């Protein structure tokens, strides 16, 4: 925190003597103090000046302190300026509650005590400084995220273009010299194509990851069953995949896109890594525990890898169906879960396959 931050204070009171006394209490080298005698004049000043703190008298003619604050809170440029009421009115609860309802942050009761007045003002100016720094950091973060997404798109394009050229060139050589190629050479060409396709998929996953993790859509009320059905329809499992659903007709607070992405990743992994003739997946909701369990009858995951699988680029190797992942799916699942204030983990105690739990769900 910069100790030399300059602050502008706005003091409003219809009695000039009160303004002189208050200003003398609060004067410091790093402060500019503006005084005025009415709420209307104060509103005009706020249009031109960047104010860090307002101290306003409650009892004034034409526009009292309550009306002044009510107006400032309706405008985005002034709504977040901390405001302290200075008043000689009784400190009864009804007056205090009214002020807080309007958005005031504190009271100073007349006659003012110099030390208390100074300490309260110093404290709220520190809060103002922290708030401004947070806003600045947030603005920088938003700008940086935009730059990163643009950079990611450029890099993805620059990487995928030569990959596509390699794939096309290999296919051309195969077509033109198919009869001349020995079996070993054909195998090598297949390896080159497979590597190019894997690299292309990794680039796509990286782009998908960056866009999904930065998705800031707000939570909404969603129906678990409807969302799961939409994912299953998208995956379109064939006859050797059996998916059962238990007690899913409930609503939770979640980002719809994020929830679908989590469910899709977990179901897709259960299918991809299953080693049984028929893949069996069960999706269930526990009302008491407020959690969803996705269970499969696959080979399971070693207990010592229950957390490692959520690390970026960590994989368990090639799946039983021949393909391999990029190690980003489960990391994305965890990031999206954290964005929605829930947890996703692998239940290492489940021994008949794999079980992933989405816990701490907020029902609605």
């Amino acid at each position: 925190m910069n100790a030399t931050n300059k602050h502008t204070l706005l003091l409003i009171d219809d009695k000039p003597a009160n303004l002189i006394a208050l200003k003398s209490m609060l004067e410091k080298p790093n402060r500019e103090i503006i005084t005025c005698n009415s709420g209307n004049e104060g509103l005009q000043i706020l249009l031109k000046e960047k104010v860090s703190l307002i101290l306003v008298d409650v009892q004034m003619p034409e526009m009292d302190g309550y009306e002044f604050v009510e107006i400032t809170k309706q405008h985005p440029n002034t709504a977040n300026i901390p405001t302290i009421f200075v008043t000689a009115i009784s400190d009864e609860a009804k007056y205090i509650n009214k002020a807080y309802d309007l958005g005031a942050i504190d009271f100073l009761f007349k006659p003012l005590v110099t030390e208390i007045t100074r300490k309260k003002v110093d404290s709220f100016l520190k809060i103002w400084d922290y708030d401004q720094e947070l806003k600045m950091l947030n603005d920088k973060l938003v700008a940086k995220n935009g730059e990163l997404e643009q950079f990611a798109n450029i890099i993805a394009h620059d990487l995928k273009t030569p990959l596509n050229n390699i794939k096309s060139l290999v296919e051309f050589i195969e077509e033109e010299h198919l009869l001349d190629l020995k079996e070993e050479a054909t195998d090598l060409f297949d390896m080159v194509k497979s590597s190019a396709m894997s690299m292309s998929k990794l680039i796509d996953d990286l782009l998908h990851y960056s866009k999904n993790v930065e998705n800031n859509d707000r939570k909404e009320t969603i129906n678990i069953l409807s969302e799961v059905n939409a994912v299953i329809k998208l995956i379109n499992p064939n006859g050797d995949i059996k998916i059962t659903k238990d007690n899913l007709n409930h609503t939770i607070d979640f980002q719809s896109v994020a929830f679908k992405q989590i469910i899709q990743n977990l179901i897709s992994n259960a299918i991809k890594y299953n080693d049984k003739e028929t893949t069996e997946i069960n999706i269930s909701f526990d009302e008491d525990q407020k959690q969803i369990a996705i269970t499969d009858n696959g080979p399971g995951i070693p207990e010592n890898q229950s957390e490692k699988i959520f690390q970026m680029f960590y994989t368990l190797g090639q799946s039983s169906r021949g393909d391999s992942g990029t190690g980003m799916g489960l990391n994305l699942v965890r990031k999206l879960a954290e964005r929605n204030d829930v947890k996703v983990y692998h239940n290492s105690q489940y021994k008949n396959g794999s079980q992933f739990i989405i816990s701490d769900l907020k029902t609605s």
Side-chain angles (χ1 to χ4, degrees):
M1 181 66 62
N2 187 351
T4 61
N5 280 351
K6 187 168 180 65
H7 297 109
T8 299
L9 280 64
L10 175 60
L11 314 183
I12 308 172
D13 196 308
D14 62 309
K15 295 181 174 58
N18 290 342
L19 289 173
I20 293 170
L22 185 56
K23 183 178 180 181
S24 67
M25 290 183 195
L26 301 178
E27 281 183 326
K28 279 189 176 183
N30 63 332
R31 287 180 187 166
E32 178 185 358
I33 298 180
I34 302 173
T35 61
C36 63
N37 298 113
S38 70
N40 283 319
E41 191 181 346
L43 293 174
Q44 294 300 314
I45 291 169
L46 288 174
L47 292 174
K48 297 177 284 187
E49 302 287 342
K50 185 178 180 182
V51 173
S52 307
L53 181 66
I54 301 170
L55 288 88
V56 59
D57 184 42
V58 172
Q59 292 177 295
M60 295 185 294
E62 296 181 13
M63 180 189 296
D64 65 21
Y66 293 135
E67 293 172 304
F68 170 81
V69 171
E70 192 169 8
I71 292 171
T72 63
K73 297 306 176 185
Q74 292 174 1
H75 293 271
N77 291 341
T78 57
N80 295 319
I81 301 174
T83 304
I84 298 176
F85 278 123
V86 181
T87 180
I89 298 177
S90 165
D91 59 355
E92 288 181 23
K94 63 179 180 180
Y95 295 110
I96 295 176
N97 289 338
K98 180 179 179 181
Y100 287 141
D101 288 342
L102 289 171
I105 57 172
D106 210 342
F107 274 90
L108 284 170
F109 293 101
K110 299 176 181 178
L112 297 178
V113 179
T114 301
E115 195 61 27
I116 292 175
T117 302
R118 287 174 177 168
K119 284 184 176 179
K120 282 195 174 185
V121 168
D122 289 346
S123 296
F124 287 120
L125 288 176
K126 285 180 182 178
I127 293 171
W128 168 260
D129 286 339
Y130 283 121
D131 184 59
Q132 295 306 299
E133 287 195 9
L134 283 172
K135 286 179 181 176
M136 196 184 308
L137 287 171
N138 184 62
D139 290 342
K140 287 181 180 178
L141 185 60
V142 169
K144 189 63 67 179
N145 284 340
E147 291 173 10
L148 285 172
E149 185 173 339
Q150 185 179 17
F151 177 73
N153 281 302
I154 293 170
I155 291 298
H157 177 268
D158 289 348
L159 287 174
K160 291 192 76 171
T161 298
L163 280 173
N164 289 332
N165 290 340
I166 291 170
K167 186 171 178 289
S168 298
L169 184 60
V170 169
E171 289 173 349
F172 173 77
I173 294 172
E174 282 185 312
E175 289 174 5
E176 291 296 314
H177 303 280
L178 182 62
L179 297 177
D180 302 330
L181 293 175
K182 295 181 180 179
E183 185 178 346
E184 295 85 354
T186 303
D187 291 341
L188 290 173
F189 276 117
D190 286 340
M191 289 173 63
V192 171
K193 287 192 294 182
S194 177
S195 296
M197 289 177 64
S198 296
M199 189 65 182
S200 181
K201 186 176 186 304
L202 177 59
I203 295 167
D204 287 338
D205 283 353
L206 281 166
L207 275 175
H208 182 71
Y209 175 89
S210 63
K211 289 177 181 177
N212 274 277
V213 168
E214 296 307 326
N215 176 12
N216 283 311
D217 292 340
R218 293 183 178 180
K219 294 185 206 175
E220 57 187 291
T221 300
I222 61 172
N223 181 275
I224 301 172
L225 181 60
S226 298
E227 301 289 310
V228 169
N229 283 339
V231 171
I232 293 173
K233 185 177 181 181
L234 182 66
I235 294 174
N236 192 23
N238 53 36
D240 61 355
I241 298 169
K242 180 183 177 183
I243 299 178
T244 57
K245 296 163 283 185
D246 292 329
N247 195 35
L248 298 186
N249 193 20
H250 294 273
T251 55
I252 57 173
D253 294 329
F254 219 101
Q255 294 172 315
S256 177
V257 173
F259 185 78
K260 286 191 183 80
Q261 189 66 48
I262 290 171
I263 297 297
Q264 182 176 331
N265 267 286
L266 294 177
I267 293 178
S268 296
N269 280 352
I271 294 172
K272 182 192 298 183
Y273 292 98
N274 200 286
D275 58 349
K276 305 299 188 298
E277 186 175 336
T278 300
T279 298
E280 296 179 3
I281 300 170
N282 176 261
I283 308 165
S284 62
F285 176 67
D286 187 319
E287 294 176 70
D288 296 327
Q289 299 293 325
K290 300 290 190 295
Q291 64 184 32
I292 294 171
I294 298 179
T295 307
D296 66 63
N297 66 333
I301 296 169
E303 188 172 346
N304 63 355
Q305 298 192 52
S306 286
E307 271 302 305
K308 289 181 180 178
I309 56 176
F310 289 99
Q311 296 174 9
M312 179 79 87
F313 302 125
Y314 186 86
T315 68
L316 290 172
Q318 195 173 63
S319 78
S320 59
R321 296 174 187 264
D323 54 355
S324 58
T326 57
M328 298 189 65
L330 287 178
N331 187 267
L332 173 60
V333 162
R334 179 154 285 182
K335 293 290 185 185
L336 294 176
E338 289 172 353
R339 185 171 289 279
N340 282 271
D341 305 312
V342 303
K343 296 177 182 176
V344 173
Y345 62 92
H346 171 252
N347 180 11
S348 59
Q349 304 305 309
Y350 188 80
K351 302 303 181 184
N352 298 319
S354 293
Q355 184 180 71
F356 285 87
I357 305 292
I358 307 169
S359 65
D360 298 341
L361 293 165
K362 306 295 185 296
T363 55
S364 54

